[in-house]
mmCIF file of all heavy atoms in Angstrom:
data_model
loop_
_atom_site.group_PDB
_atom_site.id
_atom_site.type_symbol
_atom_site.label_atom_id
_atom_site.label_comp_id
_atom_site.label_asym_id
_atom_site.label_seq_id
_atom_site.Cartn_x
_atom_site.Cartn_y
_atom_site.Cartn_z
ATOM 1 N N PRO A 104 -20.986 -74.067 3.301
ATOM 2 C CA PRO A 104 -21.320 -74.268 4.715
ATOM 3 C C PRO A 104 -20.850 -73.088 5.589
ATOM 4 O O PRO A 104 -19.808 -72.481 5.312
ATOM 5 C CB PRO A 104 -20.544 -75.535 5.086
ATOM 6 C CG PRO A 104 -20.264 -76.213 3.799
ATOM 7 C CD PRO A 104 -20.149 -75.130 2.774
ATOM 8 N N PRO A 105 -21.607 -72.769 6.636
ATOM 9 C CA PRO A 105 -21.166 -71.702 7.540
ATOM 10 C C PRO A 105 -19.877 -72.099 8.256
ATOM 11 O O PRO A 105 -19.667 -73.272 8.555
ATOM 12 C CB PRO A 105 -22.330 -71.542 8.520
ATOM 13 C CG PRO A 105 -23.184 -72.745 8.360
ATOM 14 C CD PRO A 105 -22.883 -73.343 7.031
ATOM 15 N N ASN A 106 -19.023 -71.107 8.519
ATOM 16 C CA ASN A 106 -17.733 -71.352 9.167
ATOM 17 C C ASN A 106 -17.805 -71.250 10.683
ATOM 18 O O ASN A 106 -16.845 -71.568 11.357
ATOM 19 C CB ASN A 106 -16.693 -70.339 8.675
ATOM 20 C CG ASN A 106 -16.415 -70.484 7.207
ATOM 21 O OD1 ASN A 106 -16.560 -71.563 6.646
ATOM 22 N ND2 ASN A 106 -16.029 -69.400 6.579
ATOM 23 N N ASP A 107 -18.917 -70.745 11.203
ATOM 24 C CA ASP A 107 -19.006 -70.459 12.629
ATOM 25 C C ASP A 107 -20.363 -70.915 13.153
ATOM 26 O O ASP A 107 -21.295 -71.135 12.382
ATOM 27 C CB ASP A 107 -18.836 -68.953 12.848
ATOM 28 C CG ASP A 107 -18.416 -68.596 14.262
ATOM 29 O OD1 ASP A 107 -18.355 -69.490 15.132
ATOM 30 O OD2 ASP A 107 -18.155 -67.412 14.507
ATOM 31 N N THR A 108 -20.479 -71.020 14.465
ATOM 32 C CA THR A 108 -21.752 -71.384 15.093
ATOM 33 C C THR A 108 -22.390 -70.188 15.800
ATOM 34 O O THR A 108 -23.432 -70.336 16.424
ATOM 35 C CB THR A 108 -21.558 -72.527 16.109
ATOM 36 O OG1 THR A 108 -20.611 -72.112 17.106
ATOM 37 C CG2 THR A 108 -21.086 -73.797 15.422
ATOM 38 N N THR A 109 -21.766 -69.020 15.713
ATOM 39 C CA THR A 109 -22.283 -67.814 16.366
ATOM 40 C C THR A 109 -22.641 -66.781 15.312
ATOM 41 O O THR A 109 -21.870 -66.530 14.386
ATOM 42 C CB THR A 109 -21.244 -67.238 17.351
ATOM 43 O OG1 THR A 109 -20.975 -68.233 18.353
ATOM 44 C CG2 THR A 109 -21.751 -65.988 18.026
ATOM 45 N N PHE A 110 -23.815 -66.141 15.500
ATOM 46 C CA PHE A 110 -24.337 -65.166 14.542
ATOM 47 C C PHE A 110 -24.858 -63.960 15.330
ATOM 48 O O PHE A 110 -25.443 -64.132 16.404
ATOM 49 C CB PHE A 110 -25.458 -65.791 13.711
ATOM 50 C CG PHE A 110 -25.060 -67.113 13.103
ATOM 51 C CD1 PHE A 110 -25.249 -68.301 13.797
ATOM 52 C CD2 PHE A 110 -24.471 -67.157 11.853
ATOM 53 C CE1 PHE A 110 -24.870 -69.521 13.256
ATOM 54 C CE2 PHE A 110 -24.086 -68.374 11.293
ATOM 55 C CZ PHE A 110 -24.283 -69.557 11.996
ATOM 56 N N THR A 111 -24.660 -62.747 14.807
ATOM 57 C CA THR A 111 -25.014 -61.543 15.571
ATOM 58 C C THR A 111 -25.808 -60.534 14.750
ATOM 59 O O THR A 111 -25.739 -60.520 13.518
ATOM 60 C CB THR A 111 -23.756 -60.827 16.100
ATOM 61 O OG1 THR A 111 -22.947 -60.439 14.991
ATOM 62 C CG2 THR A 111 -22.962 -61.699 17.031
ATOM 63 N N ILE A 112 -26.519 -59.700 15.496
ATOM 64 C CA ILE A 112 -27.182 -58.508 14.968
ATOM 65 C C ILE A 112 -26.795 -57.363 15.903
ATOM 66 O O ILE A 112 -26.928 -57.488 17.121
ATOM 67 C CB ILE A 112 -28.722 -58.634 14.978
ATOM 68 C CG1 ILE A 112 -29.211 -59.808 14.139
ATOM 69 C CG2 ILE A 112 -29.365 -57.338 14.496
ATOM 70 C CD1 ILE A 112 -30.719 -60.064 14.256
ATOM 71 N N LYS A 113 -26.320 -56.256 15.335
ATOM 72 C CA LYS A 113 -25.999 -55.066 16.125
ATOM 73 C C LYS A 113 -26.925 -53.943 15.708
ATOM 74 O O LYS A 113 -27.275 -53.817 14.535
ATOM 75 C CB LYS A 113 -24.548 -54.630 15.897
ATOM 76 C CG LYS A 113 -23.525 -55.577 16.432
ATOM 77 C CD LYS A 113 -22.137 -55.048 16.199
ATOM 78 C CE LYS A 113 -21.098 -56.029 16.703
ATOM 79 N NZ LYS A 113 -19.734 -55.522 16.525
ATOM 80 N N GLY A 114 -27.304 -53.124 16.683
ATOM 81 C CA GLY A 114 -28.182 -52.005 16.371
ATOM 82 C C GLY A 114 -28.020 -50.888 17.381
ATOM 83 O O GLY A 114 -27.193 -50.946 18.285
ATOM 84 N N GLY A 115 -28.853 -49.887 17.228
ATOM 85 C CA GLY A 115 -28.837 -48.769 18.157
ATOM 86 C C GLY A 115 -29.507 -47.561 17.565
ATOM 87 O O GLY A 115 -29.914 -47.562 16.403
ATOM 88 N N GLY A 116 -29.650 -46.556 18.391
ATOM 89 C CA GLY A 116 -30.284 -45.323 17.943
ATOM 90 C C GLY A 116 -30.996 -44.636 19.077
ATOM 91 O O GLY A 116 -30.545 -44.641 20.218
ATOM 92 N N THR A 117 -32.141 -44.062 18.766
ATOM 93 C CA THR A 117 -32.962 -43.399 19.762
ATOM 94 C C THR A 117 -34.369 -43.967 19.669
ATOM 95 O O THR A 117 -34.760 -44.527 18.655
ATOM 96 C CB THR A 117 -33.018 -41.877 19.515
ATOM 97 O OG1 THR A 117 -33.577 -41.637 18.224
ATOM 98 C CG2 THR A 117 -31.638 -41.252 19.593
ATOM 99 N N GLY A 118 -35.105 -43.832 20.729
ATOM 100 C CA GLY A 118 -36.481 -44.336 20.690
ATOM 101 C C GLY A 118 -36.888 -44.966 21.987
ATOM 102 O O GLY A 118 -36.497 -44.528 23.056
ATOM 103 N N MET A 119 -37.632 -46.033 21.875
ATOM 104 C CA MET A 119 -38.170 -46.714 23.047
ATOM 105 C C MET A 119 -37.063 -47.441 23.808
ATOM 106 O O MET A 119 -36.196 -48.058 23.213
ATOM 107 C CB MET A 119 -39.231 -47.730 22.625
ATOM 108 C CG MET A 119 -40.425 -47.139 21.918
ATOM 109 S SD MET A 119 -41.493 -46.237 23.025
ATOM 110 C CE MET A 119 -42.104 -47.550 24.039
ATOM 111 N N LYS A 120 -37.132 -47.368 25.126
ATOM 112 C CA LYS A 120 -36.159 -48.027 25.982
ATOM 113 C C LYS A 120 -36.625 -49.441 26.302
ATOM 114 O O LYS A 120 -37.792 -49.679 26.579
ATOM 115 C CB LYS A 120 -36.005 -47.233 27.276
ATOM 116 C CG LYS A 120 -35.063 -47.846 28.258
ATOM 117 C CD LYS A 120 -35.040 -47.069 29.551
ATOM 118 C CE LYS A 120 -34.290 -47.869 30.598
ATOM 119 N NZ LYS A 120 -34.440 -47.316 31.924
ATOM 120 N N VAL A 121 -35.708 -50.392 26.274
ATOM 121 C CA VAL A 121 -36.000 -51.762 26.688
ATOM 122 C C VAL A 121 -36.010 -51.783 28.214
ATOM 123 O O VAL A 121 -35.104 -51.263 28.858
ATOM 124 C CB VAL A 121 -34.942 -52.740 26.141
ATOM 125 C CG1 VAL A 121 -35.121 -54.122 26.715
ATOM 126 C CG2 VAL A 121 -34.993 -52.775 24.624
ATOM 127 N N LYS A 122 -37.042 -52.385 28.786
ATOM 128 C CA LYS A 122 -37.185 -52.432 30.243
ATOM 129 C C LYS A 122 -36.308 -53.538 30.812
ATOM 130 O O LYS A 122 -36.174 -54.609 30.217
ATOM 131 C CB LYS A 122 -38.639 -52.665 30.611
ATOM 132 C CG LYS A 122 -39.547 -51.565 30.138
ATOM 133 C CD LYS A 122 -40.987 -51.920 30.388
ATOM 134 C CE LYS A 122 -41.850 -50.869 29.736
ATOM 135 N NZ LYS A 122 -43.033 -51.430 29.124
ATOM 136 N N GLU A 123 -35.744 -53.290 31.977
ATOM 137 C CA GLU A 123 -34.817 -54.255 32.561
ATOM 138 C C GLU A 123 -35.479 -55.550 32.991
ATOM 139 O O GLU A 123 -34.822 -56.580 33.114
ATOM 140 C CB GLU A 123 -34.067 -53.639 33.743
ATOM 141 C CG GLU A 123 -34.910 -53.371 34.967
ATOM 142 C CD GLU A 123 -34.096 -52.806 36.113
ATOM 143 O OE1 GLU A 123 -33.066 -53.395 36.472
ATOM 144 O OE2 GLU A 123 -34.506 -51.772 36.641
ATOM 145 N N ASP A 124 -36.800 -55.561 33.180
ATOM 146 C CA ASP A 124 -37.471 -56.768 33.642
ATOM 147 C C ASP A 124 -38.291 -57.460 32.553
ATOM 148 O O ASP A 124 -39.054 -58.377 32.837
ATOM 149 C CB ASP A 124 -38.371 -56.454 34.838
ATOM 150 C CG ASP A 124 -39.470 -55.469 34.502
ATOM 151 O OD1 ASP A 124 -39.417 -54.831 33.428
ATOM 152 O OD2 ASP A 124 -40.388 -55.314 35.327
ATOM 153 N N GLU A 125 -38.116 -57.052 31.329
ATOM 154 C CA GLU A 125 -38.940 -57.671 30.292
ATOM 155 C C GLU A 125 -38.387 -59.021 29.843
ATOM 156 O O GLU A 125 -37.250 -59.372 30.119
ATOM 157 C CB GLU A 125 -39.155 -56.726 29.116
ATOM 158 C CG GLU A 125 -38.024 -56.505 28.191
ATOM 159 C CD GLU A 125 -38.463 -55.571 27.074
ATOM 160 O OE1 GLU A 125 -38.341 -54.354 27.229
ATOM 161 O OE2 GLU A 125 -38.920 -56.094 26.042
ATOM 162 N N ILE A 126 -39.228 -59.744 29.166
ATOM 163 C CA ILE A 126 -38.872 -61.044 28.607
ATOM 164 C C ILE A 126 -38.778 -60.872 27.095
ATOM 165 O O ILE A 126 -39.697 -60.374 26.461
ATOM 166 C CB ILE A 126 -39.923 -62.104 28.987
ATOM 167 C CG1 ILE A 126 -39.911 -62.292 30.500
ATOM 168 C CG2 ILE A 126 -39.649 -63.412 28.261
ATOM 169 C CD1 ILE A 126 -41.013 -63.165 31.028
ATOM 170 N N ILE A 127 -37.659 -61.276 26.534
ATOM 171 C CA ILE A 127 -37.405 -61.102 25.106
ATOM 172 C C ILE A 127 -37.628 -62.426 24.398
ATOM 173 O O ILE A 127 -37.067 -63.461 24.772
ATOM 174 C CB ILE A 127 -35.969 -60.578 24.877
ATOM 175 C CG1 ILE A 127 -35.834 -59.211 25.551
ATOM 176 C CG2 ILE A 127 -35.647 -60.510 23.394
ATOM 177 C CD1 ILE A 127 -34.443 -58.680 25.607
ATOM 178 N N ARG A 128 -38.440 -62.375 23.375
ATOM 179 C CA ARG A 128 -38.803 -63.577 22.599
ATOM 180 C C ARG A 128 -37.808 -63.758 21.455
ATOM 181 O O ARG A 128 -37.519 -62.812 20.713
ATOM 182 C CB ARG A 128 -40.215 -63.394 22.054
ATOM 183 C CG ARG A 128 -40.775 -64.595 21.404
ATOM 184 C CD ARG A 128 -41.428 -65.484 22.440
ATOM 185 N NE ARG A 128 -42.019 -66.614 21.758
ATOM 186 C CZ ARG A 128 -41.925 -67.847 22.199
ATOM 187 N NH1 ARG A 128 -41.321 -68.102 23.318
ATOM 188 N NH2 ARG A 128 -42.465 -68.830 21.528
ATOM 189 N N VAL A 129 -37.298 -64.978 21.295
ATOM 190 C CA VAL A 129 -36.329 -65.321 20.251
ATOM 191 C C VAL A 129 -36.937 -66.398 19.357
ATOM 192 O O VAL A 129 -37.533 -67.357 19.855
ATOM 193 C CB VAL A 129 -35.018 -65.848 20.874
ATOM 194 C CG1 VAL A 129 -34.074 -66.360 19.802
ATOM 195 C CG2 VAL A 129 -34.353 -64.783 21.720
ATOM 196 N N ASN A 130 -36.778 -66.238 18.048
ATOM 197 C CA ASN A 130 -37.213 -67.251 17.073
ATOM 198 C C ASN A 130 -36.054 -67.553 16.140
ATOM 199 O O ASN A 130 -35.417 -66.627 15.622
ATOM 200 C CB ASN A 130 -38.405 -66.750 16.253
ATOM 201 C CG ASN A 130 -39.651 -66.669 17.090
ATOM 202 O OD1 ASN A 130 -40.153 -67.673 17.553
ATOM 203 N ND2 ASN A 130 -40.139 -65.459 17.319
ATOM 204 N N ILE A 131 -35.797 -68.826 15.933
ATOM 205 C CA ILE A 131 -34.718 -69.252 15.047
ATOM 206 C C ILE A 131 -35.261 -70.329 14.115
ATOM 207 O O ILE A 131 -35.867 -71.304 14.577
ATOM 208 C CB ILE A 131 -33.506 -69.802 15.834
ATOM 209 C CG1 ILE A 131 -33.019 -68.759 16.841
ATOM 210 C CG2 ILE A 131 -32.390 -70.222 14.883
ATOM 211 C CD1 ILE A 131 -32.011 -69.289 17.841
ATOM 212 N N LYS A 132 -35.034 -70.151 12.810
ATOM 213 C CA LYS A 132 -35.412 -71.144 11.806
ATOM 214 C C LYS A 132 -34.166 -71.464 10.992
ATOM 215 O O LYS A 132 -33.470 -70.563 10.541
ATOM 216 C CB LYS A 132 -36.490 -70.594 10.872
ATOM 217 C CG LYS A 132 -37.796 -70.275 11.553
ATOM 218 C CD LYS A 132 -38.780 -69.676 10.565
ATOM 219 C CE LYS A 132 -40.052 -69.252 11.259
ATOM 220 N NZ LYS A 132 -40.988 -68.592 10.346
ATOM 221 N N TRP A 133 -33.890 -72.727 10.834
ATOM 222 C CA TRP A 133 -32.782 -73.148 9.977
ATOM 223 C C TRP A 133 -33.256 -74.352 9.187
ATOM 224 O O TRP A 133 -33.746 -75.326 9.737
ATOM 225 C CB TRP A 133 -31.514 -73.401 10.783
ATOM 226 C CG TRP A 133 -31.496 -74.556 11.733
ATOM 227 C CD1 TRP A 133 -30.785 -75.716 11.579
ATOM 228 C CD2 TRP A 133 -32.186 -74.698 12.987
ATOM 229 N NE1 TRP A 133 -30.986 -76.555 12.649
ATOM 230 C CE2 TRP A 133 -31.848 -75.948 13.540
ATOM 231 C CE3 TRP A 133 -33.057 -73.896 13.712
ATOM 232 C CZ2 TRP A 133 -32.340 -76.411 14.742
ATOM 233 C CZ3 TRP A 133 -33.563 -74.348 14.922
ATOM 234 C CH2 TRP A 133 -33.201 -75.584 15.414
ATOM 235 N N ASP A 134 -33.192 -74.195 7.880
ATOM 236 C CA ASP A 134 -33.708 -75.193 6.951
ATOM 237 C C ASP A 134 -35.128 -75.609 7.363
ATOM 238 O O ASP A 134 -36.005 -74.777 7.392
ATOM 239 C CB ASP A 134 -32.744 -76.378 6.829
ATOM 240 C CG ASP A 134 -31.439 -75.953 6.155
ATOM 241 O OD1 ASP A 134 -31.467 -74.992 5.361
ATOM 242 O OD2 ASP A 134 -30.395 -76.576 6.422
ATOM 243 N N ASN A 135 -35.372 -76.871 7.703
ATOM 244 C CA ASN A 135 -36.723 -77.331 8.061
ATOM 245 C C ASN A 135 -36.948 -77.394 9.572
ATOM 246 O O ASN A 135 -37.886 -78.028 10.031
ATOM 247 C CB ASN A 135 -36.991 -78.711 7.448
ATOM 248 C CG ASN A 135 -37.003 -78.653 5.941
ATOM 249 O OD1 ASN A 135 -37.505 -77.697 5.356
ATOM 250 N ND2 ASN A 135 -36.441 -79.664 5.306
ATOM 251 N N PHE A 136 -36.086 -76.738 10.351
ATOM 252 C CA PHE A 136 -36.192 -76.778 11.808
ATOM 253 C C PHE A 136 -36.560 -75.395 12.341
ATOM 254 O O PHE A 136 -36.281 -74.378 11.704
ATOM 255 C CB PHE A 136 -34.859 -77.221 12.428
ATOM 256 C CG PHE A 136 -34.396 -78.562 11.948
ATOM 257 C CD1 PHE A 136 -33.450 -78.650 10.929
ATOM 258 C CD2 PHE A 136 -34.905 -79.723 12.499
ATOM 259 C CE1 PHE A 136 -33.021 -79.883 10.480
ATOM 260 C CE2 PHE A 136 -34.480 -80.962 12.049
ATOM 261 C CZ PHE A 136 -33.536 -81.037 11.038
ATOM 262 N N GLU A 137 -37.129 -75.385 13.536
ATOM 263 C CA GLU A 137 -37.506 -74.120 14.159
ATOM 264 C C GLU A 137 -37.425 -74.268 15.673
ATOM 265 O O GLU A 137 -37.761 -75.313 16.228
ATOM 266 C CB GLU A 137 -38.926 -73.739 13.745
ATOM 267 C CG GLU A 137 -39.351 -72.387 14.236
ATOM 268 C CD GLU A 137 -40.686 -71.939 13.662
ATOM 269 O OE1 GLU A 137 -41.238 -72.623 12.775
ATOM 270 O OE2 GLU A 137 -41.169 -70.900 14.107
ATOM 271 N N GLU A 138 -36.978 -73.192 16.329
ATOM 272 C CA GLU A 138 -36.910 -73.186 17.784
ATOM 273 C C GLU A 138 -37.258 -71.784 18.277
ATOM 274 O O GLU A 138 -36.861 -70.794 17.671
ATOM 275 C CB GLU A 138 -35.510 -73.593 18.251
ATOM 276 C CG GLU A 138 -35.382 -73.686 19.750
ATOM 277 C CD GLU A 138 -34.129 -74.418 20.172
ATOM 278 O OE1 GLU A 138 -33.021 -73.928 19.906
ATOM 279 O OE2 GLU A 138 -34.274 -75.500 20.778
ATOM 280 N N ALA A 139 -37.993 -71.720 19.384
ATOM 281 C CA ALA A 139 -38.357 -70.452 20.010
ATOM 282 C C ALA A 139 -38.111 -70.579 21.511
ATOM 283 O O ALA A 139 -38.372 -71.621 22.107
ATOM 284 C CB ALA A 139 -39.813 -70.110 19.727
ATOM 285 N N PHE A 140 -37.594 -69.514 22.103
ATOM 286 C CA PHE A 140 -37.394 -69.485 23.551
ATOM 287 C C PHE A 140 -37.313 -68.042 24.009
ATOM 288 O O PHE A 140 -37.421 -67.115 23.204
ATOM 289 C CB PHE A 140 -36.146 -70.289 23.975
ATOM 290 C CG PHE A 140 -34.881 -69.919 23.252
ATOM 291 C CD1 PHE A 140 -34.013 -68.968 23.765
ATOM 292 C CD2 PHE A 140 -34.529 -70.545 22.060
ATOM 293 C CE1 PHE A 140 -32.838 -68.638 23.116
ATOM 294 C CE2 PHE A 140 -33.359 -70.238 21.407
ATOM 295 C CZ PHE A 140 -32.505 -69.278 21.930
ATOM 296 N N GLU A 141 -37.165 -67.854 25.322
ATOM 297 C CA GLU A 141 -37.184 -66.517 25.902
ATOM 298 C C GLU A 141 -35.868 -66.194 26.578
ATOM 299 O O GLU A 141 -35.181 -67.088 27.086
ATOM 300 C CB GLU A 141 -38.322 -66.409 26.919
ATOM 301 C CG GLU A 141 -39.682 -66.598 26.293
ATOM 302 C CD GLU A 141 -40.795 -66.624 27.324
ATOM 303 O OE1 GLU A 141 -40.534 -66.881 28.513
ATOM 304 O OE2 GLU A 141 -41.951 -66.375 26.923
ATOM 305 N N LEU A 142 -35.550 -64.908 26.587
ATOM 306 C CA LEU A 142 -34.375 -64.399 27.289
ATOM 307 C C LEU A 142 -34.849 -63.572 28.475
ATOM 308 O O LEU A 142 -35.832 -62.833 28.370
ATOM 309 C CB LEU A 142 -33.532 -63.505 26.381
ATOM 310 C CG LEU A 142 -33.123 -64.045 25.015
ATOM 311 C CD1 LEU A 142 -32.265 -63.024 24.290
ATOM 312 C CD2 LEU A 142 -32.390 -65.364 25.155
ATOM 313 N N THR A 143 -34.149 -63.683 29.585
ATOM 314 C CA THR A 143 -34.459 -62.883 30.772
ATOM 315 C C THR A 143 -33.199 -62.187 31.252
ATOM 316 O O THR A 143 -32.081 -62.647 31.005
ATOM 317 C CB THR A 143 -35.039 -63.748 31.902
ATOM 318 O OG1 THR A 143 -34.098 -64.782 32.234
ATOM 319 C CG2 THR A 143 -36.368 -64.360 31.509
ATOM 320 N N ASN A 144 -33.397 -61.087 31.951
ATOM 321 C CA ASN A 144 -32.289 -60.315 32.508
ATOM 322 C C ASN A 144 -31.703 -61.073 33.691
ATOM 323 O O ASN A 144 -32.413 -61.400 34.638
ATOM 324 C CB ASN A 144 -32.792 -58.935 32.946
ATOM 325 C CG ASN A 144 -31.666 -58.021 33.395
ATOM 326 O OD1 ASN A 144 -30.550 -58.443 33.652
ATOM 327 N ND2 ASN A 144 -31.981 -56.750 33.501
ATOM 328 N N GLN A 145 -30.436 -61.349 33.654
ATOM 329 C CA GLN A 145 -29.789 -62.136 34.699
ATOM 330 C C GLN A 145 -29.544 -61.339 35.970
ATOM 331 O O GLN A 145 -29.210 -61.910 36.993
ATOM 332 C CB GLN A 145 -28.493 -62.712 34.162
ATOM 333 C CG GLN A 145 -28.720 -63.674 33.018
ATOM 334 C CD GLN A 145 -29.715 -64.760 33.365
ATOM 335 O OE1 GLN A 145 -29.450 -65.601 34.201
ATOM 336 N NE2 GLN A 145 -30.893 -64.744 32.744
ATOM 337 N N GLU A 146 -29.700 -60.026 35.912
ATOM 338 C CA GLU A 146 -29.506 -59.178 37.097
ATOM 339 C C GLU A 146 -30.778 -59.088 37.930
ATOM 340 O O GLU A 146 -30.753 -58.585 39.037
ATOM 341 C CB GLU A 146 -29.067 -57.782 36.681
ATOM 342 C CG GLU A 146 -27.740 -57.750 35.935
ATOM 343 C CD GLU A 146 -26.585 -58.221 36.803
ATOM 344 O OE1 GLU A 146 -26.501 -57.814 37.972
ATOM 345 O OE2 GLU A 146 -25.756 -59.008 36.293
#
Side-chain angles (χ1 to χ4, degrees):
N106 296 333
D107 201 354
T108 58
T109 299
F110 309 89
T111 60
I112 300 173
K113 292 182 182 182
T117 60
M119 299 287 293
K120 178 184 169 191
V121 172
K122 298 174 187 141
E123 69 178 308
D124 62 347
E125 74 178 89
I126 296 172
I127 298 171
R128 188 86 177 137
V129 173
N130 290 295
I131 304 169
K132 296 177 184 176
W133 67 109
D134 293 333
N135 295 321
F136 302 98
E137 185 172 353
E138 183 165 65
F140 53 92
E141 297 174 339
L142 308 181
T143 58
N144 186 345
Q145 297 307 293
E146 298 296 316

